[in-house]
Amino acid sequence: MPGPSGDNASIMTGHASSATLRSPFAKGPSFTLDTFSSRDFIVKDFVESLSDSAVPISRRSGPASQAFDPKPLIRTFEAAVGRLRNLSEDLQERETELAGAVRRAEAQHNQNTESLGQKVEQAIDSFHQLDGSLSRNGTEIDHSDVDGNAVVRMGERLEELDRQRQRAQDAKFLIQCWMEVSEKGDLSALENVRRMGGGDGKVRCAHIARQLLKIGQRLERENGPQINGITNGVNGANSINGRPDTSPPRRATQELVEKFLESLEKDLLKEFDNYYRRQNYVGMQECAVALRDFNEGASVMALFVNQHQFFIDRSQLITEEVTGDPETWDRIADPDKEPPGVEPSLQSLIDEVKVVVQDESYIIRQAFPYYDEVLVRFLQRVFQQSIQQRLEMVLDKANSISPLAFLRTLQAARSYMRDLVEDLKSHGLTERPEPVSSQTAAMLDQQLEDLFVPYFIGTSYIEREKRNLEELYASLLFKFTIYHSRRRKMPTTYLASLSQRGKELLSSAREAYMDRLNSTDLPVSQKAMLRRIAGIKESATETQIDVTEEDGALSLPNAKRMLKWLAEGVGRGLELSAASEIPKDVAALLNLLLTNMGELYLETALDAANEMATAQETSKNEPDFSYFNDLRASISILHLLQTAIHTVLIPLASSNLTIRRDIEKTSSAFISRVEDKISHILQRTVDAVLAWVTRGILSKQQKTDFRPRDDAPLALEQLRTPTCTQLCTFLGRLHSRVESALSGRSRTVFSAELASAVLGALLEHFKKFSVSLTGGLMVSKDVNAYVLLIRGWGIDEHAGGNTTNASAGTDVSSLASKMLEVLGEVVNVFVIGPEALRERLRGGVVAGVEARELRPYILRRDDVGTVGVQAVLNAL
């Protein structure tokens, strides 16, 4: 130490000078206290060095026969003895000073101890006095005046006094330990507590050691406060009343306590691990309580979690490559098959997690007083490491198969994980048999959400759904788009301009699909699946794909497949997306559906049907109504689409009124547009029918059909004219197509419009032919055939309804019924005699028909020049 070394140097210098004065003939020996305090000091070597220093060098190297001279040795040893005597006196003086300092320190320590003892005795005396006063008061007070509150207050006061007494004893022991470690560098008292064993001893030892460390740290920050008369100097130099001190430096004391704490923590952790292996929950709890003072128990919690056998066994299995059965992955990627469920290796892991967590929760409850924190740490490790790693590998594998495989795997994993969380909640874990606490339940929910957060950032999820449906729809409609893109172009008309957007959609969809199919980024399995759905070979190019009329026709099963795929995506979104995102997702999926199933599929077919119906108006042959097949399918598809929108999609957007209104507006506009196209096709059909009936059938009516010769008896045996037969056959075939394509009110209204057009043509037709009395019978037979055929269309069912609620359909049906009555009266005009005709037309109205409307037909009677017929005409 610096202090003693400086004092010794001064003492040795003084004695060396005195020795020189006493022995002027030789220089005395030079040595200090450090010479004797060295561990390498040997007496024999010391004497030899004195002897060597006493003999002159010239004599040592001279002849061996030279006489021995003892005087130098005598002088040297005399000087050495004098020097040693002086050192002994100095040491004695120093020992006296140190002994005095020790006595003063002991006196101060005894005084402090006595003072603390007096305080403890005073506390004990106060306790006895209080106890005695309570006893005396208890005997004086009537028992009826003592209530429960007074007893409770007395008990609380006693407990407080006991706590104060315990704190005083702990403070006393803490001071004793600090004095030992700061003055002697000894922790024997703390070691005794450590060896006591038991949970209380471990806890107390750890607590006291932590307090000692805090004391050392506080003293170091305050840089030398006085404690029991001991003042710590600067730079670690200690002194007692201005004299050197042999106590260890404060930094060394702090390091000693820190080493003790590290040793204690390691021993406690090792002991905890041994108890855990022996399933000694009491010992584990004692160690856990003691280790709570070390970083809030982080070390023992980390030991329990990290060394768990589950994580050790699963560390290799988690990183194994995801393989699985190829048929299972093909089934997951097939949109027309039900998914098989969660991936087997992930399912096995989750099942094992469920069992392990339920079993370990009992151990955690028994071994840790702060079991909630340990359970949280354990569950976080399970979710964030074991499950998350495997989940990422499974989803990466699914993503390499197809977007649909990824989405289905994500949904299955999320559902299975949710079931795991719910099972853990209901089990109770550390709260069993009660359900888990609200904090634990919230933590489990948060862990579940954190697992899937990367897959739902922004619009990433809904974009995956849209991309999957776009690829599936493009594959399903690929041949359909090829067929209609190759369809013969009609001359540019107003209707052609209306369908231009549909043609552009066809072209862009076809090109995008081929680019996607030829992309190197698309997995091989996904390419095979898309080609299978599209029905094309692997090596076929766009120009090598053969399409038929069936490929260009609407297919109700295909429409149902499209809606089924959409319904799967919507259901998946309800399960995976947040509630606030569902309206936005529904709107995005609806737009996708209307673009593909509506514009690209349904409207394209209707545009083709409209072009075909328009072409029939100018056709020289009998009209081809084969487009009625697409018309029937389009109506069914529109009904399915409308039902899906109103029963599934719109209700899901109810939480957002703005999005709901947009969806309703968009869907209504689309439905109205499609209905207008269907109505336009039907109107073009009526025009084509009227054109063919007028131009191709009625124009071939012979003038002699209604003026047969009297010498032709076979004409009377005919049921109807050839023109009537041809027209009835044509209308019969047409009505069969109408019945197959339309249903309900739509069929009735169209049939009424068709009947009105045909009846109007017939009424105009009979104005062109002269009819004899015999020919009137032929007219009667033809008209009866026409009326019977048209009434079979059911147009009378909606005729004559409530006029206050009459609709356009009812008006058309009423008009057709009226025209049938007019046609019936036309027959009477031709078959009855003049007198009967005049009586029938008396009053100006016949069966709701104005009599003057029948004048053109009366003029076509063969006997129009007779007096009777002229009288009838004059009456009109």
Side-chain angles (χ1 to χ4, degrees):
M1 294 179 288
S5 300
D7 294 342
N8 291 339
S10 62
I11 293 172
M12 296 305 108
T13 305
H15 282 284
S17 61
S18 61
T20 306
L21 291 175
R22 288 192 299 268
S23 182
F25 301 100
K27 187 178 180 182
S30 178
F31 52 84
T32 63
L33 286 177
D34 294 338
T35 304
F36 304 100
S37 62
S38 175
R39 292 185 178 182
D40 298 332
F41 176 76
I42 301 175
V43 177
K44 181 180 178 181
D45 294 340
F46 176 69
V47 175
E48 288 180 356
S49 64
L50 290 178
S51 301
D52 293 340
S53 64
V55 180
I57 299 176
S58 59
R59 289 191 178 185
R60 284 182 231 167
S61 60
S65 62
Q66 189 177 1
F68 171 74
D69 185 7
K71 291 179 181 181
L73 293 175
I74 293 173
R75 287 192 297 269
T76 300
F77 283 116
E78 284 178 353
V81 171
R83 177 66 175 150
L84 290 174
R85 188 180 296 111
N86 292 335
L87 291 177
S88 178
E89 292 174 359
D90 292 340
L91 287 176
Q92 185 64 35
E93 181 182 355
R94 186 178 180 189
E95 181 178 0
T96 303
E97 292 176 357
L98 293 177
V102 170
R103 285 193 299 272
R104 286 191 297 273
E106 288 179 351
Q108 182 67 35
H109 174 69
N110 292 334
Q111 182 181 354
N112 293 338
T113 304
E114 184 178 356
S115 175
L116 293 174
Q118 290 175 358
K119 291 180 180 179
V120 173
E121 290 177 358
Q122 290 175 1
I124 295 174
D125 292 340
S126 299
F127 172 75
H128 288 312
Q129 291 175 6
L130 178 61
D131 187 35
S133 64
L134 291 176
S135 301
R136 288 191 301 273
N137 292 337
T139 57
E140 294 173 0
I141 299 175
D142 186 63
H143 291 286
S144 60
D145 296 333
V146 180
D147 57 2
N149 293 330
V151 175
V152 171
R153 287 194 296 272
M154 294 175 188
E156 292 176 352
R157 179 58 180 164
L158 291 174
E159 290 178 357
E160 179 63 25
L161 291 173
D162 183 63
R163 285 194 294 269
Q164 292 178 358
R165 175 177 173 274
Q166 185 64 41
R167 283 199 298 269
Q169 291 179 349
D170 291 342
K172 177 182 176 181
F173 182 73
L174 179 62
I175 293 173
Q176 291 176 351
C177 291
W178 174 252
M179 295 297 295
E180 289 183 359
V181 71
S182 62
E183 295 181 0
K184 302 178 182 180
D186 186 16
L187 290 172
S188 58
L190 206 55
E191 289 287 354
N192 292 335
V193 176
R194 179 178 180 180
R195 288 192 292 269
M196 285 172 54
D200 294 338
K202 297 171 185 172
V203 174
R204 189 181 182 198
C205 181
H207 183 67
I208 292 173
R210 299 291 297 179
Q211 292 297 324
L212 291 175
L213 183 61
K214 290 179 181 179
I215 291 174
Q217 293 172 348
R218 182 177 180 182
L219 291 177
E220 185 177 0
R221 287 194 304 269
E222 295 180 358
N223 195 16
Q226 292 185 355
I227 301 176
N228 296 334
I230 302 175
T231 303
N232 292 333
V234 183
N235 298 327
N238 301 336
S239 63
I240 302 174
N241 294 333
R243 297 180 179 83
D245 185 13
T246 58
S247 60
R250 184 176 302 141
R251 184 59 187 170
T253 301
Q254 186 174 339
E255 292 177 356
L256 183 63
V257 176
E258 291 176 350
K259 290 180 180 179
F260 177 81
L261 283 171
E262 292 177 3
S263 174
L264 178 61
E265 184 179 14
K266 291 179 180 178
D267 292 344
L268 288 173
L269 289 174
K270 183 177 180 180
E271 192 172 354
F272 177 88
D273 188 53
N274 293 333
Y275 285 141
Y276 176 69
R277 299 181 187 281
R278 296 197 298 267
Q279 297 295 302
N280 186 344
Y281 302 134
V282 176
M284 292 172 66
Q285 190 170 39
E286 292 176 354
C287 295
V289 172
L291 287 165
R292 185 65 168 176
D293 282 336
F294 299 89
N295 297 326
E296 299 297 326
S299 58
V300 68
M301 287 189 287
L303 174 68
F304 178 80
V305 173
N306 296 335
Q307 299 299 324
H308 198 280
Q309 193 64 33
F310 170 77
F311 301 109
I312 297 174
D313 295 342
R314 276 284 175 178
S315 60
Q316 297 295 331
L317 298 177
I318 291 174
T319 56
E320 287 184 356
E321 183 180 357
V322 179
T323 55
D325 185 12
E327 293 185 1
T328 302
W329 287 112
D330 292 342
R331 184 178 175 186
I332 294 176
D334 192 340
D336 296 320
K337 293 183 180 179
E338 292 297 325
V342 67
E343 197 272 333
S345 65
L346 182 61
Q347 180 181 5
S348 174
L349 175 62
I350 295 175
D351 292 341
E352 186 176 356
V353 165
K354 177 180 177 181
V355 175
V356 169
V357 171
Q358 290 177 354
D359 292 343
E360 290 302 314
S361 61
Y362 173 78
I363 299 176
I364 293 173
R365 179 60 186 265
Q366 298 297 322
F368 292 93
Y370 40 95
Y371 52 84
D372 285 340
E373 298 180 29
V374 182
L375 179 63
V376 169
R377 183 77 64 87
F378 185 75
L379 290 174
Q380 287 176 343
R381 174 70 181 276
V382 168
F383 278 87
Q384 296 175 7
Q385 181 174 330
S386 300
I387 295 180
Q388 184 173 1
Q389 290 181 2
R390 194 61 185 175
L391 176 64
E392 291 175 352
M393 296 182 66
V394 171
L395 291 178
D396 289 342
K397 173 66 175 179
N399 194 37
S400 66
I401 301 298
S402 71
L404 179 61
F406 177 87
L407 293 170
R408 284 181 166 182
T409 304
L410 182 67
Q411 179 187 16
R414 177 70 176 265
S415 176
Y416 208 74
M417 286 296 303
R418 185 183 295 110
D419 293 341
L420 169 67
V421 170
E422 294 302 324
D423 290 342
L424 295 180
K425 289 180 182 178
S426 60
H427 179 270
L429 302 179
T430 54
E431 306 296 333
R432 188 175 176 82
E434 299 296 328
V436 297
S437 62
S438 58
Q439 294 83 356
T440 304
M443 185 275 298
L444 286 171
D445 292 335
Q446 187 61 41
Q447 292 297 320
L448 176 62
E449 293 301 322
D450 291 344
L451 283 176
F452 296 93
V453 163
Y455 310 107
F456 298 97
I457 297 176
T459 60
S460 59
Y461 166 71
I462 194 61
E463 290 299 326
R464 286 181 182 271
E465 287 284 4
K466 289 171 61 178
R467 184 166 64 253
N468 169 60
L469 288 175
E470 286 173 352
E471 291 180 353
L472 294 179
Y473 288 168
S475 298
L476 186 63
L477 303 180
F478 181 65
K479 283 191 173 182
F480 178 86
T481 57
I482 291 290
Y483 176 84
H484 285 279
S485 64
R486 296 177 182 175
R487 184 163 44 87
R488 182 173 61 88
K489 302 298 185 299
M490 300 299 296
T492 302
T493 62
Y494 173 71
L495 295 178
S497 64
L498 291 179
S499 63
Q500 183 63 30
R501 183 171 184 271
K503 296 176 181 178
E504 293 175 355
L505 280 175
L506 283 176
S507 178
S508 61
R510 185 182 69 257
E511 293 174 358
Y513 179 76
M514 291 304 298
D515 292 341
R516 178 65 175 163
L517 203 60
N518 297 326
S519 173
T520 57
D521 298 335
L522 196 66
V524 177
S525 56
Q526 176 71 353
K527 288 183 180 180
M529 182 60 63
L530 296 180
R531 288 182 178 276
R532 184 188 65 79
I533 295 175
I536 58 178
K537 298 179 180 179
E538 182 176 356
S539 58
T541 61
E542 182 178 353
T543 57
Q544 296 174 340
I545 298 175
D546 295 330
V547 292
T548 61
E549 291 186 1
E550 184 179 357
D551 295 325
L554 291 177
S555 171
L556 190 59
N558 284 346
K560 291 180 178 179
R561 289 174 72 185
M562 297 172 75
L563 290 176
K564 178 185 176 183
W565 297 342
L566 178 78
E568 180 182 342
V570 172
R572 189 162 44 239
L574 289 176
E575 183 176 347
L576 298 179
S577 295
S580 59
E581 298 295 326
I582 289 178
K584 299 178 184 178
D585 296 349
V586 168
L589 294 178
L590 174 63
N591 291 332
L592 179 67
L593 181 67
L594 293 181
T595 299
N596 288 272
M597 185 175 175
E599 297 180 15
L600 191 61
Y601 191 49
L602 187 57
E603 292 193 51
T604 298
L606 289 177
D607 290 339
N610 182 71
E611 292 177 3
M612 188 173 182
T614 303
Q616 303 309 311
E617 296 183 40
T618 58
S619 176
K620 296 182 180 180
N621 300 318
E622 181 178 330
D624 181 8
F625 298 112
S626 59
Y627 59 86
F628 263 80
N629 295 328
D630 278 350
L631 194 64
R632 178 181 68 248
S634 65
I635 295 175
S636 300
I637 292 172
L638 180 61
H639 177 70
L640 287 177
L641 187 59
Q642 186 175 7
T643 302
I645 292 174
H646 287 89
T647 61
V648 178
L649 299 181
I650 292 180
L652 293 178
S654 300
S655 59
N656 192 314
L657 295 180
T658 302
I659 295 179
R660 178 188 175 95
R661 284 195 295 267
D662 291 341
I663 290 177
E664 290 176 344
K665 182 179 179 180
T666 302
S667 59
S668 298
F670 168 76
I671 292 171
S672 298
R673 187 168 68 250
V674 173
E675 289 178 345
D676 289 343
K677 289 189 176 184
I678 293 175
S679 299
H680 198 272
I681 293 171
L682 294 177
Q683 185 59 48
R684 296 282 75 76
T685 301
V686 172
D687 294 343
V689 169
L690 183 59
W692 177 250
V693 167
T694 303
R695 184 182 65 253
I697 298 178
L698 296 181
S699 62
K700 298 179 180 180
Q701 184 88 52
Q702 300 294 324
K703 292 184 178 181
T704 58
D705 287 344
F706 302 130
R707 296 183 64 184
R709 297 191 306 271
D710 294 337
D711 57 352
L714 293 178
L716 297 178
E717 296 177 358
Q718 295 177 352
L719 295 178
R720 47 191 164 181
T721 63
T723 301
C724 176
T725 302
Q726 183 182 359
L727 180 59
C728 290
T729 303
F730 170 73
L731 293 177
R733 288 197 301 267
L734 174 61
H735 184 64
S736 298
R737 288 190 175 276
V738 172
E739 282 188 325
S740 63
L742 304 177
S743 62
R745 186 173 182 80
S746 299
R747 182 174 63 192
T748 302
V749 172
F750 177 73
S751 297
E753 290 183 355
L754 188 62
S756 299
V758 172
L759 290 174
L762 289 174
L763 290 174
E764 291 296 325
H765 176 68
F766 286 117
K767 293 179 182 180
K768 302 176 182 178
F769 293 90
S770 297
V771 182
S772 64
L773 182 61
T774 306
L777 296 178
M778 299 298 298
V779 171
S780 174
K781 292 179 181 180
D782 284 0
V783 169
N784 288 337
Y786 297 147
V787 171
L788 182 63
L789 175 67
I790 293 175
R791 288 191 184 278
W793 294 354
I795 60 176
D796 293 335
E797 296 179 2
H798 296 279
N802 189 359
T803 58
T804 58
N805 298 322
S807 62
T810 303
D811 293 341
V812 174
S813 298
S814 300
L815 178 61
S817 298
K818 182 179 179 180
M819 294 179 73
L820 284 174
E821 294 177 0
V822 172
L823 190 62
E825 290 301 321
V826 168
V827 173
N828 293 330
V829 168
F830 290 131
V831 297
I832 63 177
E835 294 297 329
L837 180 61
R838 184 173 55 186
E839 291 296 328
R840 188 171 182 82
L841 298 179
R842 190 183 301 274
V845 178
V846 180
V849 179
E850 293 289 340
R852 61 177 175 270
E853 294 181 5
L854 299 177
R855 181 182 179 87
Y857 303 100
I858 297 175
L859 291 174
R860 304 309 299 176
R861 285 176 62 107
D862 193 38
D863 56 352
V864 66
T866 62
V867 176
V869 175
Q870 288 295 321
V872 173
L873 292 175
N874 292 332
L876 295 177

